[in-house]
Amino acid sequence: MPRPEPDAYFMGIAIAVRARANCTGRRVGAIIVRDGRILSTGYNGTPSKMRNCEEGGCHRCAHPEDYPSGQGYDLCICVHAEQNALLAAARFGVAVEGCTIYTTLQPCFGCLKELLQANVREVCYLKPWESRFGEQYAALVERLGGADFRAVAIDDPGAQWALGRAGTTERTQGHEVLGP
């Protein structure tokens, strides 16, 4: 087996982290890396010590028919993978300034703001989507630096599973519409 390039290696680990996600809408994994070393991981789901989505812990995930697409996120108790990676680093006193994040889904508007505020220097994502807030999202990407916001193309055998409910119905992530 050939040795993977760093992007493929780290995105492969983010895919493995995604396997722990318990959101029924979409499953996302993320890792924060500095100098070729993993500092923190995160996956999306309910907060620690709460019933997970698969057990009905989040009303929005358990009853998607009650919420129009793109609405009710203020009631959703799930924490995004990127947020969980940032929060885990903070909880254990690990600085993330100047780091790179690898995430299996392009960060939503809110997560991208949080990554910028934490001074993460590079965002690498597996699956893209198009924001309905294109101009504002583009401003955040520009602030990061366009070359430091990039897709990483690797094989994703669990891509259909990771879509969760989103694979069978049109759903959104945060306030944005998912791309193809």
Side-chain angles (χ1 to χ4, degrees):
M1 174 196 275
R3 184 175 185 198
E5 293 297 318
D7 279 348
Y9 171 71
F10 290 123
M11 192 60 75
I13 293 170
I15 289 171
V17 170
R18 178 182 71 191
R20 295 280 304 152
N22 60 44
C23 181
T24 57
R26 281 179 84 79
R27 296 172 183 102
V28 181
I31 65 170
I32 297 176
V33 176
R34 180 188 302 128
D35 297 329
R37 302 287 184 249
I38 298 167
L39 302 180
S40 183
T41 67
Y43 53 87
N44 61 323
T46 57
S48 297
K49 298 184 172 117
M50 293 188 74
R51 285 189 310 152
N52 67 42
C53 291
E54 294 166 346
E55 298 168 337
C58 176
H59 189 272
R60 188 179 186 287
C61 290
H63 304 282
E65 68 281 356
D66 293 348
Y67 302 92
S69 182
Q71 295 183 14
Y73 286 98
D74 54 334
L75 302 173
C76 180
I77 64 170
C78 293
V79 182
H80 289 191
E82 301 89 343
Q83 292 170 320
N84 269 326
L86 288 172
L87 292 167
R91 185 172 58 208
F92 295 112
V94 178
V96 297
E97 184 171 11
C99 290
T100 297
I101 190 165
Y102 287 84
T103 181
T104 60
L105 182 65
Q106 181 179 325
C108 73
F109 193 85
C111 286
L112 186 54
K113 288 189 303 183
E114 292 164 7
L115 292 166
L116 284 170
Q117 192 65 12
N119 287 324
V120 169
R121 72 167 175 83
E122 185 178 33
V123 175
C124 302
Y125 58 88
L126 181 61
K127 301 293 181 191
W129 53 260
E130 185 177 326
S131 175
R132 72 179 201 194
F133 300 112
E135 188 176 320
Q136 295 99 324
Y137 196 89
L140 295 176
V141 171
E142 182 180 326
R143 162 63 179 76
L144 181 68
D148 294 323
F149 184 81
R150 59 191 177 82
V152 172
I154 68 167
D155 185 44
D156 183 5
Q160 190 61 39
W161 170 83
L163 289 174
R165 252 190 350 267
T168 56
T169 61
E170 182 183 334
R171 298 298 299 169
T172 59
Q173 173 74 23
H175 300 285
E176 295 78 29
V177 177
L178 294 171

